[in-house]
Amino acid sequence: MFSNQPKGLIPAALSNMGERFGYYIMNAVLVLFLCSKFGLSEETSALIYSFFYAGIYLLSLVGGIIADRTQNYKGTIIRGLVVMTLGYVILAIPILSTSNNISWLLPLTCFALFLIAFGNGLFKGNLQAIVGQLYDNPKYSSQRDSGFQIFYVFINIGGLLAPFIAPLLRSWWLGVNNLTYNAKLPALCHQYLGGADFMAAEDMNNLSALITETGGNAAGDIAAFCSQYLEVFNTGIHYSFIASVAAMIISLVIFIAVKNGLPNPGKKVKVESSTISAEEKAAMAKEIRQRLAALFAVLGVVIFFWFSFHQNGTSLSLFARDFVDTSSIAPEIWQAVNPFFVIILTPIVMAFFGYLSARGKEISTPKKIAYGMGLAGLAFLFLAVYSYMQGYPSGTDFRAMENSAATALKAGPWVLILLYFFLTVAELFISPLGLSFVSKVAPQHMQGLCQGLWLGATALGNLLLWIGPLMYNKWPLWECWGVFLVVCLISMGVMFSMVTWLEKVSK
C-alpha cells in the first residue's frame, strides 16, 4: 500500500489529518451547539451551518488564486492553519449567552466560523496541489491514484476519531457538575427562560421530567436549573473546541517541520519565453484549453455526486431521525460510520485496482469516477426499494402518525450501515480519484486554482442540498430516493460518454 510512494506523502497526509481531526470535532456538534447556546431554531442553525459548509469549499477558490498568483503555496498553507486556529480559539472561549450579549456574541461566533472557512480555503486545495506535485516525478507518476487514496485515508482517520471526542468531553463536564446529557433539554430550557407562561402544558411536563432525569430538582428553582444546565452543557462543548485548537497546532508544527522537503507547485519547470516559437505557444495554449475543458466536464458531473452524497447531512439525517431506531447511539457517533468504512475499504479497493493493473486491465481514472456514480446510484436503489417495501410515506406524514404505529415501522440501524457502505465505496471511486485527476490535468501554473475548482464543485453540490429535505417531506420516500438514483445514473452515463476524450487529455 505504501510501497513506491514519495517520501513527502505521509508528512503531508499527517498534517492534513490533524486539520481534519480539529474540523470534524467542531462539525460534529456545530448545529446542536448553535441551538443550545443561543436558543436558535433547528432551521436557523442549519442555515448558518449551510453557509459555513458552502464557504469551506467556495473559499478554496480564493486560496488557490492567492497561492497561484504569489507562487507561495507553503506560506499560504501556513497562514491558513494560523487563521483556522484563531477561529477555533474564539469558539473555545466559554461565554454564557444572555439576552444582553447575544447581539454581539452570535456575530462573533459567526465571525469565528468565517475564519475557519477562510483558513480552510487557504489550506485545503493548496496542500492537495503539493501532493499532486509529488507525482509529477516520473518515478512516482504511476502511483498517483493510489497516493491520493492513501492521502484520503488519513483525512478519514481524523474524521473517524473526532465524533467521539465532543460527546466525551461534553458528558465529562456534565458529570463533573453532577448532571447527565439529554439532547432535548437545552431547547426546553431556552423556551422556559424565554417565557414560562407561554409554554404548553405538555412541554412543561417534559421539562420537569427531564430535569429529574438529568440530575436536577423539578420542585426547586426551575429557572436557576435551566441557566445552570445551559452553562454547563455549552461549556462542555467549548472544551471540545480546545481539542480542535490543539489539533490545529499539531498540524501546523508537522507542516512547518516537513515543508522544506515538499515541492513548490508552479515552480518546477521554467522555460525562457525567448526559446518558444509562436507555433509552440499556440500548441501550449491549445493544450491548456483542452485540459481545462476536461476539468470542467468532470466537475459538472461530480456536482451531482456531492448533491447526492451530502444528503447524509440533510434528508438522510432526517431519515435516520424519523425512520430508524437509533436511540442507543449518540447522534454524533453516526458521523463516524462513513470514515470508518473509508479506512477499512480503501486497502481493499486499492488491492482490487492493483490486481487489474497487474493483469493489464487497468481502469482509467475517468472510468473509475463513472463507476463511482453507478455505485452511488446503487445506494439509493437499495434505499428506494426498502422504503417501497416498507410502505414509508413522506416524512411529514410519518411524523403525524400515532407514536405506536410509527415505532412499529422504524428500521434497525443496519439500514444506515448498509447505505453508508454503498455510499463509501462510491466515494472511494470518486473523491480521492477526482483529486488525482485534477492534479493530472491542471496546468502547472494553475494547480492551486484547479484544486479550488474541485472544491468549488463540491460547494455547488452543497447549494442544492435543500432539494432533498423538500422531497423528503412532500413525497413517499421511495420517490425521493428514486430521484437521487436517476441523478446518479444519468451522471454515470454522461461520464462514460466522455471517457475516451478524458483519457486522451489526461495522458
Side-chain angles (χ1 to χ4, degrees):
M1 181 174 176
F2 296 101
S3 62
N4 200 30
Q5 298 290 345
K7 64 179 182 179
L9 174 63
I10 300 304
L14 285 171
S15 181
N16 199 64
M17 183 181 76
E19 182 276 327
R20 289 288 86 186
F21 177 72
Y23 168 78
Y24 281 115
I25 288 175
M26 181 273 299
N27 193 58
V29 296
L30 181 56
V31 173
L32 176 61
F33 169 70
L34 292 171
C35 291
S36 63
K37 185 173 182 67
F38 300 106
L40 302 179
S41 66
E42 290 183 1
E43 292 78 10
T44 302
S45 296
L47 185 62
I48 294 174
Y49 174 80
S50 296
F51 279 111
F52 167 70
Y53 200 41
I56 286 283
Y57 295 98
L58 287 175
L59 289 169
S60 294
L61 284 171
V62 178
I65 291 171
I66 290 173
D68 286 336
R69 288 188 176 179
T70 63
Q71 292 292 284
N72 185 9
Y73 291 83
K74 296 174 183 177
T76 304
I77 288 170
I78 290 172
R79 286 192 289 272
L81 288 168
V82 171
V83 170
M84 280 188 283
T85 302
L86 290 175
Y88 287 121
V89 167
I90 294 173
L91 289 181
I93 301 173
I95 302 174
L96 178 65
S97 175
T98 67
S99 58
N100 294 325
N101 67 14
I102 192 173
S103 61
W104 63 264
L105 187 56
L106 180 56
L108 179 64
T109 300
C110 292
F111 175 69
L113 293 176
F114 169 78
L115 289 178
I116 295 170
F118 182 60
N120 194 277
L122 296 174
F123 172 83
K124 191 175 178 67
N126 292 314
L127 183 63
Q128 291 168 183
I130 285 179
V131 173
Q133 192 77 4
L134 293 170
Y135 295 90
D136 285 351
N137 184 333
K139 179 180 177 181
Y140 304 112
S141 59
S142 63
Q143 300 297 316
R144 186 183 297 267
D145 281 1
S146 61
F148 271 98
Q149 288 174 313
I150 293 171
F151 184 74
Y152 204 68
V153 165
F154 278 83
I155 291 175
N156 283 276
I157 291 174
L160 172 64
L161 298 175
F164 294 92
I165 299 300
L168 181 66
L169 291 173
R170 181 185 58 212
S171 296
W172 163 75
W173 188 243
L174 283 166
V176 168
N177 289 272
N178 300 314
L179 298 169
T180 58
Y181 168 76
N182 188 284
K184 297 177 181 179
L185 188 52
L188 290 171
C189 287
H190 277 292
Q191 191 177 350
Y192 183 88
L193 293 174
D197 294 338
F198 299 100
M199 286 187 70
E202 182 179 352
D203 290 335
M204 194 66 205
N205 291 335
N206 288 337
L207 175 61
S208 297
L210 290 178
I211 289 174
T212 302
E213 182 181 315
T214 54
N217 179 13
D221 188 340
I222 294 180
F225 173 85
C226 287
S227 296
Q228 179 199 14
Y229 191 84
L230 289 173
E231 182 175 8
V232 173
F233 187 94
N234 290 308
T235 298
I237 298 178
H238 282 294
Y239 287 161
S240 69
F241 297 143
I242 295 175
S244 293
V245 173
M248 298 304 301
I249 292 174
I250 292 172
S251 184
L252 179 61
V253 169
I254 291 173
F255 186 79
I256 291 175
V258 304
K259 68 184 180 68
N260 291 334
L262 298 173
N264 292 295
K267 291 186 176 181
K268 182 181 176 183
V269 179
K270 288 188 177 181
V271 181
E272 296 295 331
S273 59
S274 60
T275 65
I276 303 176
S277 67
E279 290 79 9
E280 288 172 325
K281 287 183 179 180
M284 290 171 63
K286 180 180 179 181
E287 180 183 356
I288 289 175
R289 288 195 298 271
Q290 289 178 335
R291 286 172 173 267
L292 289 177
L295 175 62
F296 277 101
V298 173
L299 295 181
V301 172
V302 299
I303 285 172
F304 296 99
F305 169 73
W306 294 120
F307 162 60
S308 303
F309 180 79
H310 280 157
Q311 292 298 318
N312 57 5
T314 54
S315 62
L316 291 177
S317 288
L318 297 176
F319 175 76
R321 181 193 69 186
D322 295 338
F323 289 88
V324 181
D325 181 10
T326 59
S327 57
S328 60
I329 301 174
E332 297 92 344
I333 302 302
W334 283 104
Q335 297 194 36
V337 174
N338 172 244
F340 169 78
F341 276 136
V342 168
I343 295 167
I344 296 299
L345 295 175
T346 293
I348 299 173
V349 172
M350 289 179 64
F352 173 68
F353 289 152
Y355 172 83
L356 294 177
S357 179
R359 283 154 182 75
K361 299 178 181 180
E362 184 174 0
I363 304 175
S364 68
T365 303
K367 278 186 180 178
K368 291 173 183 174
I369 295 174
Y371 286 129
M373 293 303 305
L375 289 167
L378 189 61
F380 286 104
L381 174 63
F382 157 70
L383 203 52
V385 171
Y386 181 82
S387 298
Y388 180 81
M389 293 177 63
Q390 294 294 105
Y392 285 155
S394 69
T396 300
D397 291 341
F398 184 81
R399 291 190 296 272
M401 295 173 62
E402 291 186 5
N403 187 57
S404 58
T407 301
L409 280 177
K410 285 197 172 187
W414 69 270
V415 173
L416 289 179
I417 294 172
L418 189 57
L419 170 70
Y420 282 115
F421 170 82
F422 286 128
L423 285 176
T424 301
V425 176
E427 181 187 7
L428 293 176
F429 273 69
I430 294 176
S431 190
L433 301 178
L435 297 176
S436 173
F437 180 81
V438 172
S439 73
K440 192 181 300 183
V441 303
Q444 195 71 31
H445 62 291
M446 300 173 65
Q447 287 284 334
L449 174 61
C450 290
Q451 290 290 347
L453 286 171
W454 171 265
L455 298 171
T458 308
L460 290 177
N462 292 342
L463 290 175
L464 299 173
L465 293 179
W466 61 273
I467 298 174
L470 184 66
M471 296 187 297
Y472 171 88
N473 283 316
K474 296 293 183 183
W475 300 348
L477 285 199
W478 74 269
E479 295 182 11
C480 173
W481 310 134
V483 170
F484 293 110
L485 168 61
V486 171
V487 166
C488 291
L489 292 180
I490 291 175
S491 299
M492 179 181 68
V494 171
M495 194 70 192
F496 271 122
S497 72
M498 301 188 297
V499 159
T500 302
W501 168 55
L502 293 173
E503 289 175 341
K504 180 180 178 182
V505 173
S506 61
K507 282 184 178 178

